[in-house]
Every structure is written in C-alpha cells, then in structure tokens.
Amino acid sequence: MDGAGIAQLPDGGYVYLSNAEKPEGKGGVYGLYFDKDGQITDYKALLTGTSRNCGGGMSPWNTWISCEEYENGQCWQIEPDPNKPNHNSPKATLLSGLSGGEYETVAVDNANKNKPIFFTTEDKSNGELRRFEAVGNGWEALHVGGQTTYLEFLDGNRFQWTSNIDAAMYSAWKHYPNTEGILCHNSTLYFVAKVTRTLFILDLNDMTYTSELTGSSWVGQGSFNSQPDQIIESDLDNRKYIYFTEEGGSAPGVHVRDREGKYYTM
C-alpha cells in the first residue's frame, strides 16, 4: 500500500482509497467502504492492471487520482461512488502526457472552479513538475482539452511555467530532482524534493519561491534525517501545520512544520 485518500459519499458514508504499489501490472487501487456509522460495508478493487501505483490526490469533484511510478506510468482517475456513471470505468488522464513517467502526487488549485489547475510531481532526477489547467469542472475535465506547462526556476528566486519541457527537465535536474509530496493552499504551492531533502514554497501570485532543508530548524526530541515523502496540511489558515512522512533511515517517522518553520517529531 502507499498513497491514500478519503472520498465522502452522498449517504453520509465514505470510502478509504488506497493504492497498491506492486509492479508488472499487479498494482491498482482498492476501496474500503464505510457507512455513516463507521461500519465497514464493502471492500473492492477500483483499478487493476496498473503498476507501482504510488501517490495521487483527490479531485475537487471527489474522484481519486492514482499515479503510477514507473517509466511509462500514467495518472488514473477513479470514481469511488458506486452510483456515478464512471464508477466501473477508471481512465488515464491528461495529467501525465502521452509518454508517461514516474509520477508521484497530485495537488489542485480550485480557486477558479471553471479552470482548476492540477500540479503533478515526478520521482526522477530530471522529472519536471507539471501544471495542467483544465477546462470545466468534473470527470471530463481531466480527459478533454486543457493546457500543460512545466516548472522552470529562474534567477533571483523567480519561476515561470514554460511550454519548453526540456528547459523544465534541466531545471528539475539542477534545482528540484525527485519530487514527492505536494499540496496547494491559498495560492501557495508546497512540494518536496527528496534527494536534496528540500521543501519548496511557491507564491503562485507573484511568481517567486523560497526553499529550506526539511528539519532545518528543530524543536524537542527526534530527528528528520532521511528523505521527505508525502505531505499534507492541517488548518493552514490558522495553525499552518504541514505534516511530512519520512522515507528511509533506521527510524523513519512523521514530522510537523509550524507557521514559523519549526519542525517537530510526532
């Protein structure tokens, strides 16, 4: 198992969605169904025949996007609601492009609900961070139309979204290799590069960024010495907490970054 999400159902129940990171077509996505009282009602495969399903993310319309992490991997959209028309028809999206890649995680900026913007990371030394501006809001928005650009860092802590994928791949190799977890909140994009153990914070309005080593300012006991993996946020408007999972090392843990940039071990 690897990346996971929660999808609410109209009857008050919910689905716990979990990737299976198995190779050679043995991966996929599985759903554990709960009713409104928290009782398990079903468990079933929602996507099969894929490989190394690693991270992913929820869409604004409550579908799960599952990312394959191998050379020709795709990002698949899964409808967890049994009463929706696409429930039995998971489909590769436009997030990953025609050639595919070693994709990790998806975040979305839904400020403009008619043009939601999806960001996708890739765990590769020159894996460009992808930005897909969809047209419309719903299942088809990830399969029809839209525009893809890529992250390129510039001088002076500035960045741009370029259509030149080669320039973006060079920028990834130089600045942000092997990206993993990503989240978007209030026009700010947060993502981690695991090899350099770096957190990047992009201001999507003024097109500038800052960066810091994960665990660089420590409080209390514990340590964050290995690679950052998935990240999630909790009440960023008030408490401004970001949670990190850690990959590798002898004792990987879960860590927290507060609004002042201080890190703690849970």
Side-chain angles (χ1 to χ4, degrees):
M1 299 299 180
D2 205 307
I6 299 289
Q8 299 294 325
L9 296 175
D11 63 2
Y14 63 95
V15 190
Y16 174 76
L17 301 151
S18 181
N19 288 342
E21 196 176 6
K22 293 183 177 181
E24 300 176 352
K26 297 178 182 178
V29 176
Y30 293 81
L32 187 61
Y33 286 73
F34 296 83
D35 64 19
K36 61 182 177 59
D37 299 316
Q39 300 299 309
I40 295 175
T41 60
D42 198 5
Y43 173 72
K44 60 183 175 181
L46 298 172
L47 173 68
T48 58
T50 52
S51 300
R52 292 186 55 81
N53 297 72
C54 191
M58 296 298 299
S59 76
W61 43 90
N62 211 36
T63 58
W64 172 246
I65 302 164
S66 178
C67 300
E68 293 180 285
E69 186 192 354
Y70 78 103
E71 185 178 0
N72 300 312
Q74 297 291 321
C75 298
W76 295 78
Q77 183 171 205
I78 294 98
E79 174 55 74
D81 187 343
N83 296 314
K84 293 289 183 67
N86 296 299
H87 178 62
N88 294 314
S89 305
K91 188 176 180 180
T93 70
L94 295 172
L95 299 183
S96 41
L98 295 176
S99 59
E102 300 175 39
Y103 299 115
E104 277 287 337
T105 313
V106 174
V108 60
D109 179 356
N110 198 38
N112 182 347
K113 292 181 171 51
N114 292 318
K115 288 189 175 182
I117 299 171
F118 293 80
F119 304 93
T120 307
T121 59
E122 184 174 6
D123 187 1
K124 190 176 179 180
S125 61
N126 63 344
E128 73 286 350
L129 195 153
R130 305 171 70 91
R131 176 187 184 271
F132 177 76
E133 184 176 329
V135 178
N137 198 294
W139 177 272
E140 289 299 324
L142 292 177
H143 304 290
V144 178
Q147 181 182 28
T148 299
T149 51
Y150 315 97
L151 176 63
E152 181 183 14
F153 283 150
L154 307 172
D155 294 335
N157 282 78
R158 297 176 297 115
F159 70 90
Q160 68 177 1
W161 301 107
T162 178
S163 59
N164 186 337
I165 191 171
D166 291 329
M169 291 173 67
Y170 176 76
S171 188
W173 174 80
K174 184 177 181 180
H175 299 286
Y176 61 93
N178 301 89
T179 51
E180 291 269 353
I182 187 169
L183 67 89
C184 186
H185 183 82
N186 281 353
S187 299
T188 305
L189 189 69
Y190 305 80
F191 69 91
V192 291
K194 73 177 186 182
V195 171
T196 59
R197 302 176 186 176
T198 304
L199 170 68
F200 292 93
I201 304 174
L202 276 56
D203 187 319
L204 300 177
N205 289 327
D206 68 12
M207 304 293 283
T208 60
Y209 75 93
T210 59
S211 64
E212 66 188 40
L213 295 177
T214 52
S216 55
S217 180
W218 199 261
V219 176
Q221 298 181 343
S223 62
F224 192 175
N225 296 322
S226 294
Q227 296 177 342
D229 197 336
Q230 297 300 318
I231 63 175
I232 61 171
E233 56 93 2
S234 175
D235 195 12
L236 271 178
D237 289 321
N238 297 308
R239 295 185 296 173
K240 297 188 178 179
Y241 288 162
I242 299 176
Y243 295 85
F244 301 75
T245 56
E246 182 180 15
E247 179 181 2
S250 59
V254 177
H255 310 287
V256 183
R257 179 189 186 273
D258 66 16
R259 71 175 73 196
E260 284 82 30
K262 305 284 195 207
Y263 288 81
Y264 309 79
T265 291
M266 292 183 66

